[in-house]
Amino acid sequence: MVGLTEAKLRALAGTRSFERGLGYVDAVSGIEVGTDSIRASVQGTHRYGAELTLGGPRGLAGECDCPHGQEGNFCKHLVALGLVALAQKADLPRQRKTARNRARGLDAWLSALSREELLALVRNEITEDRNVRRRLELRAASARGDLAALRSRLRELLDIGPFASYGYVEYADARAYADQAGQAVSAIRALTASDRPADAVVLAREAIALLAAAAENVDDSDGRLGQIGADLADLHHTACRAARPDPEELAHWLVGHAVDEAAADLTYLDPLDYEDVLGERGTAALRRHAVLAWQAHRTGWAEKHLMQRLAKAGRDVDTVIAVHAADLAPNGHTHLLIARELESAGRFAEALEWAERGLRDTGNLATVDTALVDHLTDRYTRADRLTDAVTLRSDHFKARRTLLTYRQLRVAAQAARCWPTERKKALALLSADAGAGADRKGAQGTSVLVDVLLDDRDIDAAWQAATTSGAHDTQWRTLADTSRATRPAEALAAYLRLAKPLTHQTGSRTYEELVALLLSMRDCHRALGTQDDFTAYVTTLRTTQKRKRNLMRLMDEHGL
């Protein structure tokens, strides 16, 4: 088959999938060669159906129902099928010719049958194959205009019972269920095509509801039911365009669907897309029903989301604010959202009032949304209210004493030219925390005092704080690295203390960290003029750690 080469398979799949496909060659079975296709089963995590096609607009292509293939990728199973086909390449022309002959023979045989013989054949197939029977029953009911029969058949198609074990459809059976459920889409589409869009609207809604209920009990890892749901939503919209249902009734259904999270998540049907069908009267009804749904459940996510989208679409800022205000978050986040909405509408004074109200309503700056504090500080700064900005940052720092809030206070105070005063007060708070023995792992412990002093490059004060109240290993390392040239004795003591526990550990990272400390120690000894002491330390270390070959190798590489 022209175009089927190993190089083409590698190019389509990529190196990784191609290499993995090599291991699946023996898992290929049931090869069926058609005139322009090759089909087979490939045993992977499950048994997957793979098909290669030639002669299309893209040349060589393939489809597989594995998860990777369902995402549109040329997967390892297709690679395996292609490699098996290449191994049989010499025989493929004969097999393709045989396939063409079979197709022609079948067509010729069917054409020669009488009407009675064809009917007998179809009836026999209906008896033996349930799927064939269902498909033909749907077509017959559609042709007769028998809505009750169609509804009954749709319920059968969307029933998970035949595929479920203990009420749940496992992954292995999900595809078969999805294939059957997909027949419902075809049946409803046929109604629209046959000038019966009003019936299609009714059945599409019923099918969406049935599928949404079923989806909760199906392992739809491959997303097949989601695609069927999207197809049903498209069919509903298309049918509505043709049938032009009552706008008031349509609006009521759209809102009910939107606030039914299971159904909405399945179809992603957007009520705002129906503006062309609803018209002015229907759009007004849509807003009215949305308000009623929201009033009945003000904290519901779906209700709030629909209200917000409708309000924004109509540029109704006050409605958006009302929806937010009905369910204010205790940390001020919702106040911030309201402030941003008001700002986007050019209502800056109201926006500032809502942001400030967020701080008041929160009450505790330790739990406030930090984005609200940042927002207000920025607005105060823009308005040249620098004192207010400093006060806010100072209050926030007092409530949440962290390196970040200290830095933010410093920026605000430097802009207001009052940093020395604010710094003194902030350091006094942190020193009091350290003196009171606050949790050093928390936001108010000694670690914060050392961090802020290091951040201020006040190294002497940082050493004093660390020596007096303690510090974390990372802080001792920073202190030592920062002042190795000016405080070699103190830095050396810190390095020795940090190195000691590492000598009892193993692993590449440990060895690299230990060697880095040794190099820093060597610098300290050179500054102190005590190189002999360093040599003695390294000699002892080599003696006690000689079994750690990787450590010895690293030390050799660095001349230690």
Side-chain angles (χ1 to χ4, degrees):
M1 299 179 82
V2 179
L4 177 58
T5 64
E6 187 173 312
K8 184 65 173 178
L9 292 172
R10 184 185 291 272
L12 287 171
T15 301
R16 184 180 179 188
S17 286
F18 180 84
E19 296 296 336
R20 296 180 71 185
L22 294 173
Y24 281 80
V25 169
D26 293 336
V28 178
S29 63
I31 293 181
E32 179 183 342
V33 178
T35 56
D36 290 302
S37 66
I38 306 174
R39 303 181 187 88
S41 295
V42 185
Q43 182 64 52
T45 306
H46 301 280
R47 181 165 291 280
Y48 300 115
E51 180 177 357
L52 291 172
T53 56
L54 288 170
R58 296 181 300 163
L60 178 64
E63 293 183 359
C64 181
D65 56 17
C66 72
H68 193 54
Q70 285 297 301
E71 294 175 358
N73 300 297
F74 199 93
C75 66
K76 60 190 178 185
H77 308 110
L78 291 170
V79 171
L81 175 56
L83 292 172
V84 171
L86 281 173
Q88 303 175 8
K89 193 170 185 179
D91 195 42
L92 288 179
R94 182 192 62 79
Q95 294 183 59
R96 293 179 68 192
K97 182 178 180 180
T98 300
R100 283 194 296 270
N101 290 337
R102 284 199 304 266
R104 289 169 184 167
L106 177 61
D107 185 67
W109 177 67
L110 289 172
S111 298
L113 293 176
S114 66
R115 179 178 181 275
E116 290 73 19
E117 289 171 327
L118 279 172
L119 284 174
L121 176 64
V122 171
R123 286 167 180 151
N124 184 60
E125 290 298 316
I126 289 174
T127 301
E128 294 184 358
D129 192 323
R130 182 178 63 177
N131 288 329
V132 172
R133 175 177 58 79
R134 282 179 169 174
R135 284 196 293 270
L136 293 179
E137 285 174 344
L138 279 171
R139 294 183 67 174
S142 177
R144 295 194 310 270
D146 189 345
L147 190 62
L150 280 171
R151 180 177 285 114
S152 175
R153 295 298 177 267
L154 288 176
R155 289 184 178 278
E156 288 182 12
L157 290 173
L158 297 171
D159 179 19
I160 66 171
F163 305 90
S165 298
Y166 306 105
Y168 188 80
V169 181
E170 302 290 348
Y171 178 84
D173 299 310
R175 183 187 180 191
Y177 172 72
D179 288 343
Q180 178 175 295
Q183 295 176 33
V185 178
S186 301
I188 297 170
R189 185 179 287 117
L191 285 174
T192 303
S194 61
D195 295 326
R196 294 174 54 203
D199 289 343
V201 170
V202 173
L203 292 180
R205 294 181 186 179
E206 293 184 12
I208 288 171
L210 290 169
L211 188 64
E216 297 180 359
N217 298 298
V218 179
D219 182 349
D220 189 34
S221 300
D222 292 342
R224 292 177 180 274
L225 296 191
Q227 184 57 56
I228 294 172
D231 291 342
L232 286 171
D234 289 341
L235 280 175
H236 179 263
H237 197 176
T238 300
C240 285
R241 288 195 187 101
R244 294 290 167 178
D246 177 68
E248 180 85 28
E249 184 276 333
L250 175 59
H252 185 266
W253 183 84
L254 287 171
V255 170
H257 177 82
V259 299
D260 181 347
E261 294 188 23
D265 288 346
L266 179 71
T267 62
Y268 295 102
L269 187 151
D270 188 350
L272 273 65
D273 289 341
Y274 282 73
E275 187 176 3
D276 58 336
V277 181
L278 290 166
E280 186 174 334
R281 183 165 71 91
T283 301
L286 186 70
R287 295 179 184 279
R288 186 169 63 255
H289 286 297
V291 169
L292 291 173
W294 171 65
Q295 289 176 339
H297 190 202
R298 290 178 181 266
T299 60
W301 181 90
E303 289 82 358
K304 289 193 297 182
H305 182 66
L306 178 59
M307 280 293 295
Q308 290 165 11
R309 294 200 67 240
L310 286 169
K312 287 184 178 181
R315 297 181 181 179
D316 185 354
V317 177
D318 289 322
T319 298
V320 175
I321 293 170
V323 173
H324 283 310
D327 186 26
L328 294 172
N331 67 348
H333 176 72
T334 320
H335 299 75
L336 176 59
L337 296 179
I338 292 173
R340 288 172 175 168
E341 290 288 347
L342 287 166
E343 281 193 355
S344 66
R347 295 158 62 174
F348 300 105
E350 293 175 75
L352 185 62
E353 289 176 6
W354 267 102
E356 291 177 330
R357 175 183 164 182
L359 289 183
R360 294 194 300 272
D361 289 354
T362 300
N364 183 2
L365 283 175
T367 60
V368 74
D369 184 349
T370 56
L372 177 60
V373 178
D374 295 341
H375 176 88
L376 262 178
T377 302
D378 177 70
R379 299 311 183 266
Y380 287 153
T381 302
R382 290 185 187 183
D384 202 30
R385 295 172 56 181
L386 301 182
T387 300
D388 290 335
V390 171
T391 299
L392 177 55
R393 287 299 191 192
S394 178
D395 290 343
H396 194 216
F397 171 75
K398 291 173 184 176
R400 300 182 64 176
R401 296 199 272 280
T402 67
L403 176 59
L404 175 60
T405 56
Y406 180 85
R407 286 172 172 169
Q408 292 169 331
L409 171 59
R410 182 172 60 200
V411 170
Q414 286 176 339
R417 298 184 179 182
C418 60
W419 177 228
T421 300
E422 292 298 326
R423 179 176 187 266
K424 183 177 180 180
K425 291 189 290 185
L427 292 180
L429 282 174
L430 294 176
S431 297
D433 290 341
D439 179 7
R440 296 179 183 178
K441 294 182 180 179
Q444 300 180 351
T446 307
S447 61
V448 180
L449 177 60
V450 175
D451 280 340
V452 301
L453 291 171
L454 285 170
D455 202 60
D456 281 342
R457 299 185 184 280
D458 191 347
I459 306 304
D460 289 341
W463 270 104
Q464 182 178 351
T467 302
T468 302
S469 304
H472 295 312
D473 286 349
T474 53
Q475 293 171 326
W476 281 117
R477 180 67 179 271
T478 302
L479 281 167
D481 289 344
T482 303
S483 49
R484 193 162 58 223
T486 57
R487 293 172 172 263
E490 290 93 331
L492 176 60
Y495 290 137
L496 287 169
R497 185 166 58 251
L498 294 170
K500 186 175 181 180
L502 297 180
T503 62
H504 301 292
Q505 301 173 25
T506 59
S508 297
R509 289 189 177 182
T510 298
Y511 300 154
E512 290 170 1
E513 186 176 352
L514 181 55
V515 168
L517 288 171
L518 290 172
L519 293 173
S520 297
M521 290 182 206
R522 184 170 63 185
D523 291 342
C524 292
H525 279 291
R526 285 173 178 171
L528 293 168
T530 55
Q531 292 92 327
D532 290 344
D533 291 345
F534 178 69
T535 300
Y537 179 84
V538 171
T539 300
T540 301
L541 184 65
R542 279 183 168 276
T543 300
T544 58
Q545 305 290 313
K546 61 183 179 181
R547 293 182 179 274
K548 299 176 180 177
R549 296 178 182 178
N550 288 337
L551 174 59
M552 296 298 104
R553 178 181 55 78
L554 276 176
M555 291 177 68
D556 289 340
E557 290 176 359
H558 290 85
L560 294 170

